Amino acid sequence: MTDERDAPELRRLGLEPADLDGHTIEQLTDYLDAGRMPADPTIDDSAGCRLALDALERLHAVTGRLMADDEAAEPEADESWVDRVLSGIVLDARSGRRIPIDSPSPVADLGITEGAVRGLVRAAENSIPGVLVGRCRLDGDIEQPGAPVRVLLDASVPYGDPISDVVQRLRAEVGVRLRAHTELNVTGIDIVIRDVRDPSSWSEEDRG
Amino acid sequence: MTELQQPSLAAQIESALRSAPGVRSVYRSGSLVSNLIGRGAAALGLGDGDEPLVAVMRDGESASVEASIAVDSAQSTTETVRSAQTVVERVLGAAGVEMSEIRLTVVHVQEP
């Protein structure tokens, strides 16, 4: 569980300890590294932690590939983009606002959390190898059915792929996902590429 | 309104939800604080930690239900949550309980 010593690490990412149901991103990373064994119900039973674990798993897969791509021994990944991705992951763990889903029943109140939708958007990176989504924001009154909503997200891409192609594919994938899983009136999907990752550009200092 | 938790009915609804198409898991409803208190109480032996994750509040012949679920990304979330609603209605109907309100929230869309 989170204690006061852990709090600065989360706050460095612009987050609060409560965002991961009392756990830290390091605890979740250790749990992932241990193969999620022994099972910890305080993590497994937390939707926020599960969202973060899914995204951490993808992040680790990409950072692992980056290291494997480089023949030098265990270079440190550039912390700036890793931090941006991590801060987005933990942001997803916040349930945030509740987005309504229509029901024919007058006594039914159906919805999906903003955090679940951000996680859904982030998982679009599964479809485009090497792409990592950083922050994702839903801009608009998402609690009102039919209100216009813009999706704003940051991404990190591997060096070598034409950025316009990657953006086009990412935008299409995010659109498909939002249409399939929500009733949001998405009026735009704005993508900013914050980082182009090139392992060969890491400095000797970075390599340790 | 008399708010009375209905453990057995809640357990039936939880079980039915877990079997509903597209539903991957059921999470405890309520705030972070109440969940942490619940976990703390279980750790102190004040609860067995196996209480139903679905909240059912009974008021006479009717009941309100609240549940948080994770769904499968391979199926439409909107369709899954509507079908989960139907599943809950069936359980209540079979128990002869009128549904006064149902609040279902998708908290995680899980990848395959």
Side-chain angles (χ1 to χ4, degrees):
Chain A
M1 307 297 270
T2 305
D3 62 24
E4 284 307 307
R5 287 167 300 166
D6 297 321
E9 162 60 21
L10 286 177
R11 295 201 172 102
R12 185 169 67 88
L13 299 170
L15 304 157
E16 294 298 325
D19 294 338
L20 289 170
D21 276 357
H23 290 280
T24 66
I25 204 84
E26 285 76 17
Q27 287 171 331
L28 296 186
T29 301
D30 290 345
Y31 190 55
L32 204 55
D33 290 345
R36 307 190 191 208
M37 294 295 288
D40 182 344
T42 66
I43 294 176
D44 292 337
D45 294 346
S46 158
C49 289
R50 295 289 294 270
L51 274 164
L53 283 172
D54 285 355
L56 280 173
E57 207 159 26
R58 293 194 297 271
L59 173 65
H60 289 186
V62 170
T63 52
R65 274 203 301 274
L66 279 175
M67 288 179 182
D69 285 348
D70 195 290
E71 289 180 2
E74 298 186 0
E76 292 291 327
D78 180 348
E79 281 195 5
S80 58
W81 70 262
V82 173
D83 279 358
R84 272 193 282 275
V85 172
L86 282 176
S87 67
I89 289 171
V90 188
L91 184 65
D92 295 350
R94 292 180 186 169
S95 57
R97 296 171 285 178
R98 191 169 181 275
I99 302 167
I101 293 174
D102 188 42
S103 167
S105 168
V107 297
D109 176 9
L110 310 181
I112 181 170
T113 63
E114 185 175 14
V117 172
R118 283 195 300 254
L120 184 67
V121 168
R122 173 179 307 285
E125 64 194 17
N126 275 339
S127 305
I128 307 151
V131 168
L132 286 169
V133 173
R135 289 208 170 224
C136 169
R137 205 172 86 217
L138 304 177
D139 195 10
D141 193 357
I142 57 174
E143 293 169 300
Q144 289 303 315
V149 176
R150 287 193 82 81
V151 180
L152 316 170
L153 57 97
D154 296 346
S156 156
V157 299
Y159 176 78
D161 294 343
I163 291 176
S164 58
D165 289 356
V166 172
V167 167
Q168 199 172 3
R169 288 169 61 198
L170 183 57
R171 182 179 289 116
E173 179 65 24
V174 169
V176 165
R177 284 168 168 268
L178 290 173
R179 280 193 296 278
H181 296 282
T182 76
E183 294 173 345
L184 287 170
N185 174 21
V186 178
T187 56
I189 300 170
D190 300 331
I191 299 172
V192 175
I193 302 299
R194 294 278 183 202
D195 304 280
V196 178
R197 304 187 310 275
D198 176 13
S200 66
S201 68
W202 291 337
S203 67
E204 287 304 314
E205 195 174 275
D206 287 334
R207 292 168 196 272
Chain B
M1 174 172 171
T2 305
E3 291 197 341
L4 191 61
Q5 272 281 11
Q6 295 286 296
S8 63
L9 188 56
Q12 286 177 51
I13 293 172
E14 181 182 330
S15 173
L17 277 174
R18 287 185 188 280
S19 307
V23 174
R24 293 273 289 268
S25 50
V26 179
Y27 290 103
R28 190 175 300 282
S29 292
S31 67
L32 166 68
V33 172
S34 64
N35 285 337
L36 288 176
I37 289 171
R39 285 175 195 156
L44 291 169
L46 301 176
D48 58 11
D50 289 332
E51 294 86 0
L53 302 177
V54 174
V56 176
M57 298 297 176
R58 191 72 183 265
D59 183 14
E61 294 303 307
S62 63
S64 63
V65 175
E66 181 174 356
S68 299
I69 57 175
V71 300
D72 195 326
S73 69
Q75 297 178 45
S76 160
T77 293
T78 52
E79 287 172 19
T80 297
V81 73
R82 285 188 199 112
S83 102
Q85 172 200 329
T86 306
V87 163
V88 175
E89 285 170 352
R90 281 196 198 121
V91 174
L92 290 177
V97 177
E98 186 188 336
M99 186 171 75
S100 57
E101 186 184 3
I102 176 170
R103 183 178 167 91
L104 288 179
T105 305
V106 175
V107 294
H108 187 191
V109 182
Q110 291 186 4
E111 297 296 305

